Amino acid sequence: MNTEGTASPIHKSWRELYTAAVFETDKSKLSERIAQAEWALTLRSRELFHAGSENLRERQAVDAAIFALHILHTTTGNKGRKAALAMRAA
């Protein structure tokens, strides 16, 4: 049974969501994948900020992933950013 579409992004790691967005081939799903990954990355970035100087490598990985998703969004012309903002506001 595929529960991927019904699982809350908070229950998946940011790495899984990032990978799903980067490798998504279905353009109709791409903006949602980007939005979920950005949301998870934002949450993890906040956690790492409050953790202080711990987890420097993960902080760098999160920053790189956020940048990569921004490039993906820009180059594909999807509305992933708009969907991500809507998810954060909810």
Side-chain angles (χ1 to χ4, degrees), residues 80-90:
R81 172 81 58 211
K82 189 175 185 178
L85 293 173
M87 284 182 67
R88 288 183 201 143

PDB file of all heavy atoms in Angstrom, residues 80-90:
ATOM      1  N   GLY A  80       6.394  25.771  -6.910  1.00  0.00           N
ATOM      2  CA  GLY A  80       6.753  25.131  -5.650  1.00  0.00           C
ATOM      3  C   GLY A  80       6.923  26.110  -4.517  1.00  0.00           C
ATOM      4  O   GLY A  80       6.522  25.874  -3.387  1.00  0.00           O
ATOM      5  N   ARG A  81       7.495  27.260  -4.799  1.00  0.00           N
ATOM      6  CA  ARG A  81       7.711  28.276  -3.770  1.00  0.00           C
ATOM      7  C   ARG A  81       6.369  28.767  -3.228  1.00  0.00           C
ATOM      8  O   ARG A  81       6.188  28.901  -2.039  1.00  0.00           O
ATOM      9  CB  ARG A  81       8.525  29.421  -4.360  1.00  0.00           C
ATOM     10  CG  ARG A  81       8.674  30.624  -3.488  1.00  0.00           C
ATOM     11  CD  ARG A  81       9.747  30.525  -2.442  1.00  0.00           C
ATOM     12  NE  ARG A  81      11.036  30.281  -3.037  1.00  0.00           N
ATOM     13  CZ  ARG A  81      11.972  29.590  -2.431  1.00  0.00           C
ATOM     14  NH1 ARG A  81      11.780  29.095  -1.244  1.00  0.00           N
ATOM     15  NH2 ARG A  81      13.139  29.391  -2.984  1.00  0.00           N
ATOM     16  N   LYS A  82       5.418  29.022  -4.108  1.00  0.00           N
ATOM     17  CA  LYS A  82       4.102  29.489  -3.684  1.00  0.00           C
ATOM     18  C   LYS A  82       3.401  28.442  -2.832  1.00  0.00           C
ATOM     19  O   LYS A  82       2.816  28.750  -1.800  1.00  0.00           O
ATOM     20  CB  LYS A  82       3.256  29.830  -4.920  1.00  0.00           C
ATOM     21  CG  LYS A  82       1.975  30.522  -4.619  1.00  0.00           C
ATOM     22  CD  LYS A  82       1.289  30.930  -5.907  1.00  0.00           C
ATOM     23  CE  LYS A  82       0.053  31.748  -5.651  1.00  0.00           C
ATOM     24  NZ  LYS A  82      -0.596  32.176  -6.870  1.00  0.00           N
ATOM     25  N   ALA A  83       3.497  27.181  -3.222  1.00  0.00           N
ATOM     26  CA  ALA A  83       2.905  26.102  -2.444  1.00  0.00           C
ATOM     27  C   ALA A  83       3.582  25.967  -1.089  1.00  0.00           C
ATOM     28  O   ALA A  83       2.925  25.720  -0.082  1.00  0.00           O
ATOM     29  CB  ALA A  83       2.994  24.783  -3.209  1.00  0.00           C
ATOM     30  N   ALA A  84       4.885  26.160  -1.053  1.00  0.00           N
ATOM     31  CA  ALA A  84       5.624  26.064   0.212  1.00  0.00           C
ATOM     32  C   ALA A  84       5.188  27.168   1.165  1.00  0.00           C
ATOM     33  O   ALA A  84       5.001  26.938   2.367  1.00  0.00           O
ATOM     34  CB  ALA A  84       7.126  26.140  -0.035  1.00  0.00           C
ATOM     35  N   LEU A  85       5.019  28.362   0.651  1.00  0.00           N
ATOM     36  CA  LEU A  85       4.574  29.462   1.490  1.00  0.00           C
ATOM     37  C   LEU A  85       3.173  29.212   2.034  1.00  0.00           C
ATOM     38  O   LEU A  85       2.885  29.514   3.188  1.00  0.00           O
ATOM     39  CB  LEU A  85       4.621  30.780   0.706  1.00  0.00           C
ATOM     40  CG  LEU A  85       6.018  31.265   0.335  1.00  0.00           C
ATOM     41  CD1 LEU A  85       5.916  32.491  -0.577  1.00  0.00           C
ATOM     42  CD2 LEU A  85       6.838  31.575   1.568  1.00  0.00           C
ATOM     43  N   ALA A  86       2.313  28.627   1.215  1.00  0.00           N
ATOM     44  CA  ALA A  86       0.960  28.313   1.664  1.00  0.00           C
ATOM     45  C   ALA A  86       0.987  27.268   2.766  1.00  0.00           C
ATOM     46  O   ALA A  86       0.245  27.348   3.744  1.00  0.00           O
ATOM     47  CB  ALA A  86       0.110  27.827   0.495  1.00  0.00           C
ATOM     48  N   MET A  87       1.880  26.263   2.641  1.00  0.00           N
ATOM     49  CA  MET A  87       1.992  25.234   3.674  1.00  0.00           C
ATOM     50  C   MET A  87       2.508  25.814   4.982  1.00  0.00           C
ATOM     51  O   MET A  87       2.054  25.456   6.049  1.00  0.00           O
ATOM     52  CB  MET A  87       2.948  24.119   3.215  1.00  0.00           C
ATOM     53  CG  MET A  87       2.360  23.183   2.195  1.00  0.00           C
ATOM     54  SD  MET A  87       3.502  21.869   1.754  1.00  0.00           S
ATOM     55  CE  MET A  87       3.577  20.952   3.289  1.00  0.00           C
ATOM     56  N   ARG A  88       3.461  26.727   4.910  1.00  0.00           N
ATOM     57  CA  ARG A  88       4.022  27.338   6.122  1.00  0.00           C
ATOM     58  C   ARG A  88       2.996  28.198   6.828  1.00  0.00           C
ATOM     59  O   ARG A  88       3.001  28.285   8.043  1.00  0.00           O
ATOM     60  CB  ARG A  88       5.246  28.181   5.766  1.00  0.00           C
ATOM     61  CG  ARG A  88       6.430  27.325   5.387  1.00  0.00           C
ATOM     62  CD  ARG A  88       7.633  28.188   5.124  1.00  0.00           C
ATOM     63  NE  ARG A  88       8.562  27.439   4.306  1.00  0.00           N
ATOM     64  CZ  ARG A  88       9.306  27.948   3.353  1.00  0.00           C
ATOM     65  NH1 ARG A  88       9.249  29.220   3.072  1.00  0.00           N
ATOM     66  NH2 ARG A  88      10.113  27.182   2.668  1.00  0.00           N
ATOM     67  N   ALA A  89       2.134  28.857   6.052  1.00  0.00           N
ATOM     68  CA  ALA A  89       1.130  29.727   6.641  1.00  0.00           C
ATOM     69  C   ALA A  89       0.019  28.940   7.336  1.00  0.00           C
ATOM     70  O   ALA A  89      -0.632  29.447   8.246  1.00  0.00           O
ATOM     71  CB  ALA A  89       0.520  30.618   5.554  1.00  0.00           C
ATOM     72  N   ALA A  90      -0.167  27.704   6.919  1.00  0.00           N
ATOM     73  CA  ALA A  90      -1.257  26.875   7.476  1.00  0.00           C
ATOM     74  C   ALA A  90      -0.940  26.414   8.883  1.00  0.00           C
ATOM     75  O   ALA A  90       0.083  26.397   9.391  1.00  0.00           O
ATOM     76  CB  ALA A  90      -1.491  25.669   6.596  1.00  0.00           C
TER      77      ALA A  90
END
